[in-house]
Amino acid sequence: GESVGLHLPTLSVQEGDNSIINCAYSNSASDYFIWYKQESGKGPQFIIDIRSNMDKRQGQRVTVLLNKTVKHLSLQIAATQPGDSAVYFCAEDFMDSSYKLIFGSGTRLLVRP
Amino acid sequence: GAGVSQSPRYKVAKRGQDVALRCDPISGHVSLFWYQQALGQGPEFLTYFQNEAQLDKSGLPSDRFFAERPEGSVSTLKIQRTQQEDSAVYLCASSFPGQGAYNEQFFGPGTRLTVL
């Protein structure tokens, strides 16, 4: 399939280590912030979301942190596995009339065996 | 169950040709979205349908782009007189809106359009 992240910033981590992927957003009015994972040749896949009135949310091996003061979002992946290799996008859901997502520029995660 | 499907997966068009891209959303999903993803970038919103009604088409880049969803299920994105800058992956997503919660958008695999 086609490559998604040819010109994206890349984070390279050793298998088993923790990964932290960061994202800056611009719209203070966003109601939800979402992380998506995109593997080559596939569409984005939902990972986890967080509502704007929260600062932390945990899932299975993933944690999302939201800092509204500096408009910063991060995704932490514990015990990174080879299957985690992909491009990760943060997105904002404006919850306006269309519920459209506004995506950030993405980060490629490479997991070294 | 079946996810969002898109066809064709790959399309090569000569500049000036018209193309039609199809999206089959998850059955029962009311909302349908089209996004355009240029190489190395995040998806960008094109248009949104709620059932058969196109409620937001603010992201369509020009009047050469047209989308429809006549029966509230399958949707078609049509691009007339394709230009090289139209080359991208076109993603379709669907969701079932709830009340007050984030409505997860489920994405299809995309159609990669290459305009020569």
Side-chain angles (χ1 to χ4, degrees), chain B residues 13-83:
Chain B
K14 292 183 179 179
R15 189 174 57 181
Q17 284 185 330
D18 298 348
V19 298
L21 312 180
R22 177 187 170 107
C23 172
D24 285 80
I26 294 172
S27 178
H29 276 195
V30 170
S31 299
L32 186 145
F33 304 80
W34 283 99
Y35 293 85
Q36 179 190 60
Q37 186 173 27
L39 192 62
Q41 298 184 20
E44 292 191 356
F45 170 80
L46 293 176
T47 187
Y48 160 70
F49 289 87
Q50 186 176 90
N51 295 306
E52 69 279 2
Q54 188 175 21
L55 299 185
D56 188 341
K57 53 182 180 180
S58 62
L60 296 177
S62 76
D63 58 6
R64 295 186 296 104
F65 287 71
F66 172 77
E68 60 183 5
R69 193 186 186 198
E71 297 179 358
S73 55
V74 171
S75 177
T76 303
L77 177 66
K78 298 178 179 178
I79 308 173
Q80 297 176 323
R81 305 180 303 281
T82 53
Q83 303 295 315

Coordinates of all heavy atoms in Angstrom, one line a residue, chain B residues 13-83:
Chain B
A13 N -6.1 8.7 -13.3 CA -6.9 9.5 -14.3 C -6.0 10.4 -15.1 O -5.0 10.9 -14.5 CB -8.0 10.3 -13.6
K14 N -6.3 10.7 -16.3 CA -5.6 11.7 -17.1 C -6.2 13.0 -16.7 O -7.4 13.1 -16.5 CB -5.7 11.4 -18.6 CG -5.0 10.1 -19.0 CD -5.1 10.0 -20.5 CE -4.3 8.7 -21.0 NZ -4.4 8.5 -22.4
R15 N -5.3 14.0 -16.7 CA -5.8 15.4 -16.4 C -7.0 15.7 -17.3 O -6.9 15.5 -18.5 CB -4.7 16.4 -16.6 CG -5.0 17.8 -16.1 CD -3.8 18.6 -16.1 NE -3.2 18.7 -17.5 CZ -2.2 19.4 -17.8 NH1 -1.5 20.1 -16.9 NH2 -1.7 19.5 -19.1
G16 N -8.0 16.2 -16.7 CA -9.2 16.6 -17.5 C -10.3 15.6 -17.4 O -11.5 15.9 -17.8
Q17 N -10.0 14.4 -17.0 CA -11.0 13.3 -16.9 C -11.9 13.6 -15.7 O -11.5 14.2 -14.7 CB -10.4 12.0 -16.8 CG -9.9 11.4 -18.2 CD -9.4 10.0 -18.1 OE1 -8.9 9.6 -17.0 NE2 -9.4 9.3 -19.2
D18 N -13.1 13.0 -15.7 CA -14.0 13.0 -14.5 C -13.8 11.7 -13.8 O -13.6 10.6 -14.4 CB -15.4 13.2 -14.9 CG -15.7 14.5 -15.6 OD1 -14.8 15.4 -15.6 OD2 -16.8 14.6 -16.2
V19 N -13.9 11.7 -12.5 CA -13.8 10.5 -11.7 C -14.9 10.4 -10.7 O -15.5 11.5 -10.3 CB -12.5 10.3 -11.0 CG1 -11.3 10.3 -12.0 CG2 -12.3 11.4 -9.9
A20 N -15.3 9.2 -10.3 CA -16.3 9.0 -9.3 C -15.8 8.0 -8.3 O -15.4 6.9 -8.6 CB -17.6 8.5 -9.9
L21 N -15.9 8.4 -7.0 CA -15.4 7.5 -5.9 C -16.6 7.2 -5.0 O -17.4 8.0 -4.7 CB -14.3 8.3 -5.1 CG -13.2 9.0 -5.9 CD1 -12.3 9.7 -5.0 CD2 -12.5 8.1 -6.8
R22 N -16.6 5.9 -4.7 CA -17.8 5.4 -4.0 C -17.4 5.0 -2.5 O -16.3 4.6 -2.2 CB -18.3 4.1 -4.7 CG -19.5 3.4 -4.0 CD -19.8 2.1 -4.6 NE -20.7 1.3 -3.8 CZ -22.0 1.2 -4.2 NH1 -22.5 1.7 -5.3 NH2 -22.8 0.4 -3.4
C23 N -18.4 5.3 -1.6 CA -18.2 4.9 -0.2 C -19.5 4.2 0.2 O -20.6 4.7 0.1 CB -18.1 6.2 0.6 SG -18.1 5.9 2.4
D24 N -19.3 3.0 0.9 CA -20.3 2.3 1.5 C -20.1 2.4 3.0 O -19.2 1.7 3.6 CB -20.3 0.8 1.1 CG -20.8 0.6 -0.3 OD1 -20.1 0.9 -1.3 OD2 -22.0 0.2 -0.4
P25 N -20.9 3.2 3.7 CA -20.7 3.3 5.2 C -21.2 2.1 5.9 O -21.8 1.2 5.3 CB -21.6 4.5 5.5 CG -22.7 4.5 4.5 CD -22.1 3.9 3.2
I26 N -20.9 2.1 7.2 CA -21.4 1.0 8.1 C -22.9 1.1 8.1 O -23.5 2.3 8.2 CB -20.8 1.1 9.5 CG1 -19.3 0.9 9.4 CG2 -21.5 0.2 10.4 CD1 -18.5 1.1 10.7
S27 N -23.6 0.0 8.0 CA -25.1 0.0 8.0 C -25.7 0.7 9.2 O -25.3 0.4 10.3 CB -25.6 -1.5 7.9 OG -27.0 -1.5 7.9
G28 N -26.6 1.6 9.0 CA -27.2 2.3 10.1 C -26.6 3.6 10.5 O -27.1 4.3 11.3
H29 N -25.4 3.8 10.0 CA -24.7 5.1 10.3 C -25.3 6.2 9.6 O -25.4 6.3 8.4 CB -23.2 5.0 10.0 CG -22.4 4.3 11.1 ND1 -21.1 4.3 11.2 CD2 -22.8 3.5 12.1 CE1 -20.6 3.7 12.2 NE2 -21.7 3.2 12.8
V30 N -25.7 7.2 10.4 CA -26.4 8.4 9.9 C -25.5 9.4 9.2 O -25.8 10.0 8.2 CB -27.2 9.0 11.0 CG1 -27.8 10.4 10.6 CG2 -28.4 8.1 11.5
S31 N -24.3 9.5 9.9 CA -23.4 10.6 9.4 C -22.4 10.0 8.5 O -21.9 8.9 8.7 CB -22.7 11.2 10.6 OG -23.7 11.8 11.5
L32 N -22.0 10.8 7.5 CA -21.0 10.3 6.5 C -20.1 11.5 6.2 O -20.6 12.6 5.9 CB -21.6 9.8 5.3 CG -20.7 9.1 4.2 CD1 -21.3 7.9 3.5 CD2 -20.2 10.1 3.2
F33 N -18.8 11.3 6.2 CA -17.8 12.4 5.9 C -16.9 12.0 4.8 O -16.6 10.8 4.6 CB -17.0 12.6 7.2 CG -17.7 12.9 8.4 CD1 -18.3 11.9 9.2 CD2 -17.9 14.2 8.9 CE1 -19.0 12.2 10.3 CE2 -18.5 14.5 10.0 CZ -19.1 13.5 10.8
W34 N -16.5 12.9 4.1 CA -15.4 12.8 3.1 C -14.2 13.6 3.5 O -14.4 14.8 3.9 CB -15.8 13.2 1.7 CG -16.7 12.2 1.0 CD1 -18.0 12.2 0.9 CD2 -16.2 11.0 0.3 NE1 -18.5 11.1 0.1 CE2 -17.4 10.4 -0.3 CE3 -15.0 10.4 0.0 CZ2 -17.3 9.2 -1.0 CZ3 -14.9 9.3 -0.8 CH2 -16.1 8.7 -1.3
Y35 N -13.0 13.1 3.4 CA -11.8 13.8 3.7 C -10.8 13.6 2.6 O -10.8 12.5 1.9 CB -11.1 13.3 5.0 CG -11.9 13.5 6.3 CD1 -12.9 12.7 6.7 CD2 -11.6 14.6 7.1 CE1 -13.6 12.9 7.9 CE2 -12.3 14.9 8.3 CZ -13.3 14.0 8.7 OH -14.0 14.2 9.8
Q36 N -9.9 14.5 2.4 CA -8.8 14.4 1.4 C -7.5 14.4 2.2 O -7.3 15.2 3.1 CB -8.9 15.6 0.5 CG -7.8 15.6 -0.6 CD -7.7 17.0 -1.3 OE1 -7.5 18.0 -0.7 NE2 -8.0 17.0 -2.6
Q37 N -6.7 13.4 1.9 CA -5.4 13.3 2.5 C -4.2 13.4 1.5 O -4.0 12.4 0.8 CB -5.3 12.0 3.4 CG -4.0 11.9 4.2 CD -4.0 10.7 5.1 OE1 -4.6 9.7 4.9 NE2 -3.3 10.9 6.2
A38 N -3.5 14.5 1.5 CA -2.3 14.6 0.7 C -1.2 13.8 1.3 O -1.2 13.5 2.5 CB -1.9 16.0 0.5
L39 N -0.2 13.4 0.5 CA 0.9 12.6 0.9 C 1.6 13.3 2.1 O 2.0 14.4 1.9 CB 1.8 12.3 -0.3 CG 2.9 11.2 0.0 CD1 2.2 9.9 0.2 CD2 3.8 11.2 -1.2
G40 N 1.8 12.6 3.2 CA 2.6 13.1 4.3 C 1.8 14.1 5.2 O 2.4 14.7 6.0
Q41 N 0.5 14.2 5.0 CA -0.3 15.1 5.8 C -1.5 14.4 6.4 O -1.8 13.3 6.0 CB -0.7 16.3 4.9 CG 0.4 17.1 4.3 CD -0.1 18.3 3.5 OE1 -1.2 18.8 3.7 NE2 0.8 18.8 2.7
G42 N -2.1 15.1 7.3 CA -3.3 14.6 7.9 C -4.5 14.8 7.0 O -4.5 15.7 6.1
P43 N -5.6 14.0 7.3 CA -6.8 14.2 6.4 C -7.4 15.6 6.6 O -7.3 16.2 7.7 CB -7.7 13.1 7.0 CG -6.8 12.1 7.7 CD -5.7 12.9 8.2
E44 N -8.0 16.1 5.6 CA -8.6 17.4 5.6 C -10.1 17.2 5.2 O -10.4 16.6 4.2 CB -8.0 18.4 4.7 CG -6.6 18.8 5.1 CD -6.0 20.0 4.4 OE1 -6.7 20.5 3.4 OE2 -4.9 20.4 4.7
F45 N -11.0 17.8 6.0 CA -12.4 17.7 5.8 C -12.9 18.3 4.5 O -12.4 19.3 4.0 CB -13.1 18.4 6.9 CG -14.6 18.6 6.7 CD1 -15.5 17.5 7.0 CD2 -15.2 19.8 6.3 CE1 -16.8 17.7 6.9 CE2 -16.5 19.9 6.1 CZ -17.4 18.9 6.4
L46 N -13.7 17.5 3.8 CA -14.3 18.0 2.6 C -15.8 18.3 2.7 O -16.2 19.4 2.5 CB -14.2 17.0 1.4 CG -12.8 16.7 0.9 CD1 -12.8 15.5 -0.1 CD2 -12.1 17.9 0.4
T47 N -16.6 17.3 3.2 CA -18.0 17.5 3.2 C -18.6 16.5 4.2 O -18.0 15.5 4.6 CB -18.6 17.4 1.8 OG1 -20.0 17.7 1.9 CG2 -18.5 15.9 1.3
Y48 N -19.9 16.8 4.6 CA -20.6 16.0 5.7 C -22.0 15.8 5.3 O -22.7 16.8 4.8 CB -20.5 16.7 7.0 CG -21.5 16.3 8.0 CD1 -21.4 15.1 8.6 CD2 -22.5 17.2 8.5 CE1 -22.4 14.7 9.6 CE2 -23.4 16.9 9.4 CZ -23.3 15.6 10.0 OH -24.2 15.2 11.0
F49 N -22.5 14.6 5.4 CA -23.9 14.3 5.2 C -24.5 13.8 6.5 O -23.9 13.0 7.2 CB -24.1 13.2 4.2 CG -23.8 13.6 2.8 CD1 -22.4 13.6 2.3 CD2 -24.7 14.1 1.9 CE1 -22.1 13.9 1.0 CE2 -24.5 14.4 0.6 CZ -23.1 14.4 0.2
Q50 N -25.8 14.2 6.7 CA -26.6 13.5 7.8 C -27.8 12.9 7.0 O -28.6 13.6 6.4 CB -27.1 14.5 8.8 CG -27.8 13.9 9.9 CD -28.2 14.9 11.0 OE1 -29.3 15.5 11.0 NE2 -27.3 15.1 12.0
N51 N -27.8 11.6 7.0 CA -28.7 10.9 6.1 C -28.5 11.4 4.6 O -27.3 11.4 4.2 CB -30.2 11.1 6.5 CG -30.4 10.4 7.8 OD1 -30.1 9.3 8.0 ND2 -30.9 11.2 8.8
E52 N -29.5 11.8 3.9 CA -29.3 12.2 2.5 C -28.9 13.7 2.4 O -28.6 14.2 1.3 CB -30.5 11.9 1.7 CG -31.7 12.7 2.0 CD -32.5 12.2 3.2 OE1 -32.0 11.2 3.8 OE2 -33.5 12.8 3.5
A53 N -29.0 14.4 3.5 CA -28.8 15.9 3.5 C -27.3 16.2 3.6 O -26.7 15.8 4.6 CB -29.6 16.5 4.6
Q54 N -26.9 17.0 2.7 CA -25.5 17.5 2.8 C -25.5 18.8 3.6 O -25.9 19.9 3.1 CB -24.9 17.8 1.4 CG -23.4 18.1 1.3 CD -22.9 18.2 -0.1 OE1 -23.7 18.5 -1.0 NE2 -21.6 18.1 -0.3
L55 N -25.1 18.7 4.8 CA -25.2 19.8 5.8 C -23.9 20.7 5.8 O -24.0 21.8 6.3 CB -25.4 19.3 7.2 CG -26.7 18.5 7.4 CD1 -26.9 18.1 8.8 CD2 -27.9 19.2 6.8
D56 N -22.8 20.2 5.3 CA -21.6 21.0 5.3 C -20.8 20.6 4.1 O -20.4 19.5 4.0 CB -20.9 20.8 6.6 CG -19.7 21.8 6.8 OD1 -19.2 22.4 5.8 OD2 -19.2 21.9 8.0
K57 N -20.5 21.5 3.3 CA -19.6 21.3 2.1 C -18.5 22.3 2.1 O -18.0 22.6 1.0 CB -20.4 21.2 0.8 CG -21.3 22.4 0.5 CD -22.0 22.1 -0.8 CE -22.9 23.3 -1.2 NZ -23.6 23.0 -2.5
S58 N -18.2 22.9 3.2 CA -17.3 24.0 3.3 C -15.9 23.6 2.9 O -15.1 24.5 2.6 CB -17.3 24.6 4.7 OG -16.9 23.6 5.6
G59 N -15.5 22.3 3.0 CA -14.2 21.9 2.7 C -13.9 21.5 1.2 O -12.8 21.3 0.8
L60 N -15.0 21.5 0.4 CA -14.8 21.2 -1.0 C -13.9 22.3 -1.6 O -14.2 23.5 -1.6 CB -16.1 21.1 -1.7 CG -17.0 19.9 -1.2 CD1 -18.3 19.9 -2.0 CD2 -16.3 18.6 -1.4
P61 N -12.8 21.9 -2.3 CA -11.8 22.9 -2.7 C -12.3 23.7 -3.9 O -11.7 24.8 -4.1 CB -10.6 22.1 -3.1 CG -11.1 20.7 -3.3 CD -12.3 20.5 -2.5
S62 N -13.2 23.2 -4.7 CA -13.6 24.0 -5.9 C -15.0 23.4 -6.3 O -15.4 22.4 -5.9 CB -12.6 23.9 -7.0 OG -12.7 22.6 -7.7
D63 N -15.6 24.1 -7.3 CA -16.9 23.6 -7.8 C -16.7 22.4 -8.7 O -17.7 21.9 -9.3 CB -17.6 24.7 -8.5 CG -16.8 25.3 -9.7 OD1 -15.8 24.8 -10.0 OD2 -17.3 26.3 -10.2
R64 N -15.5 21.9 -8.9 CA -15.3 20.7 -9.6 C -15.6 19.5 -8.8 O -15.7 18.4 -9.3 CB -13.8 20.6 -10.1 CG -13.4 21.7 -11.2 CD -12.0 21.4 -11.7 NE -11.0 21.5 -10.7 CZ -10.4 20.5 -10.2 NH1 -10.7 19.2 -10.5 NH2 -9.4 20.7 -9.3
F65 N -15.7 19.7 -7.5 CA -15.9 18.6 -6.5 C -17.4 18.6 -6.2 O -18.0 19.7 -5.8 CB -15.1 18.8 -5.2 CG -13.6 18.5 -5.4 CD1 -12.8 19.3 -6.1 CD2 -13.1 17.4 -4.8 CE1 -11.5 19.1 -6.3 CE2 -11.7 17.1 -5.0 CZ -10.9 17.9 -5.7
F66 N -18.0 17.4 -6.2 CA -19.4 17.3 -5.9 C -19.6 16.0 -5.2 O -19.1 15.0 -5.6 CB -20.2 17.3 -7.3 CG -21.6 17.0 -7.1 CD1 -22.5 18.0 -6.7 CD2 -22.1 15.8 -7.5 CE1 -23.9 17.7 -6.5 CE2 -23.5 15.5 -7.4 CZ -24.4 16.4 -6.9
A67 N -20.4 16.0 -4.2 CA -20.7 14.8 -3.5 C -22.2 14.6 -3.3 O -23.0 15.6 -3.2 CB -20.1 14.8 -2.1
E68 N -22.7 13.4 -3.3 CA -24.1 13.1 -3.1 C -24.3 11.8 -2.3 O -23.4 10.9 -2.2 CB -24.8 12.9 -4.5 CG -24.2 11.8 -5.3 CD -24.9 11.8 -6.7 OE1 -25.7 12.7 -7.0 OE2 -24.6 10.9 -7.5
R69 N -25.5 11.7 -1.7 CA -25.8 10.5 -0.9 C -27.4 10.4 -1.0 O -28.1 10.6 0.0 CB -25.4 10.7 0.6 CG -25.4 9.5 1.4 CD -25.1 9.8 2.9 NE -25.0 8.5 3.6 CZ -25.1 8.5 5.0 NH1 -25.3 9.6 5.7 NH2 -25.0 7.4 5.6
P70 N -27.9 10.1 -2.2 CA -29.3 10.3 -2.5 C -30.2 9.5 -1.6 O -31.4 9.9 -1.4 CB -29.4 9.9 -4.0 CG -28.1 9.0 -4.2 CD -27.1 9.6 -3.3
E71 N -29.8 8.3 -1.1 CA -30.7 7.5 -0.3 C -30.3 7.4 1.1 O -30.8 6.5 1.9 CB -30.9 6.1 -1.0 CG -31.5 6.2 -2.4 CD -31.7 4.8 -3.0 OE1 -31.2 3.8 -2.4 OE2 -32.2 4.7 -4.1
G72 N -29.3 8.2 1.5 CA -28.9 8.2 2.9 C -28.0 7.1 3.3 O -27.8 6.8 4.5
S73 N -27.5 6.3 2.3 CA -26.5 5.3 2.6 C -25.2 5.4 1.8 O -24.4 6.2 2.2 CB -27.1 3.9 2.4 OG -27.6 3.7 1.1
V74 N -25.2 4.8 0.6 CA -24.0 5.0 -0.2 C -23.8 6.4 -0.6 O -24.7 7.1 -0.9 CB -24.1 4.1 -1.5 CG1 -23.0 4.3 -2.5 CG2 -24.2 2.6 -1.0
S75 N -22.5 6.8 -0.7 CA -22.2 8.2 -1.1 C -21.2 8.1 -2.3 O -20.4 7.2 -2.4 CB -21.6 9.0 0.0 OG -21.2 10.3 -0.4
T76 N -21.3 9.1 -3.1 CA -20.3 9.2 -4.3 C -19.7 10.6 -4.2 O -20.4 11.6 -4.1 CB -21.0 9.0 -5.6 OG1 -21.6 7.7 -5.6 CG2 -20.0 9.0 -6.7
L77 N -18.4 10.6 -4.3 CA -17.6 11.9 -4.5 C -17.2 11.9 -6.0 O -16.5 11.0 -6.4 CB -16.4 11.9 -3.6 CG -15.5 13.1 -3.7 CD1 -16.2 14.4 -3.2 CD2 -14.2 13.0 -2.9
K78 N -17.6 13.0 -6.6 CA -17.3 13.1 -8.0 C -16.3 14.3 -8.2 O -16.6 15.4 -7.6 CB -18.5 13.3 -8.9 CG -19.5 12.1 -8.8 CD -20.8 12.4 -9.6 CE -21.7 11.2 -9.6 NZ -23.0 11.4 -10.3
I79 N -15.3 14.1 -9.0 CA -14.4 15.2 -9.3 C -14.4 15.4 -10.8 O -14.1 14.5 -11.6 CB -13.0 14.9 -8.8 CG1 -13.0 14.5 -7.3 CG2 -12.1 16.1 -9.0 CD1 -11.6 14.1 -6.8
Q80 N -14.8 16.6 -11.2 CA -14.8 16.8 -12.7 C -13.5 17.5 -13.1 O -12.9 18.2 -12.4 CB -16.0 17.8 -13.0 CG -17.3 17.2 -12.7 CD -18.5 18.1 -12.9 OE1 -18.3 19.3 -12.6 NE2 -19.6 17.6 -13.4
R81 N -13.1 17.2 -14.4 CA -12.0 17.8 -15.0 C -10.8 17.8 -14.0 O -10.2 18.8 -13.7 CB -12.3 19.3 -15.4 CG -13.5 19.4 -16.3 CD -13.8 20.9 -16.7 NE -14.0 21.7 -15.5 CZ -15.1 21.8 -14.8 NH1 -16.1 21.0 -15.1 NH2 -15.2 22.6 -13.8
T82 N -10.4 16.6 -13.7 CA -9.3 16.4 -12.7 C -8.1 17.2 -13.0 O -7.7 17.3 -14.2 CB -9.0 14.9 -12.4 OG1 -8.7 14.3 -13.7 CG2 -10.2 14.2 -11.8
Q83 N -7.4 17.7 -12.0 CA -6.1 18.4 -12.1 C -5.1 17.6 -11.3 O -5.4 16.8 -10.4 CB -6.3 19.8 -11.6 CG -7.3 20.6 -12.2 CD -7.0 20.9 -13.7 OE1 -5.9 21.2 -14.0 NE2 -8.0 20.7 -14.6

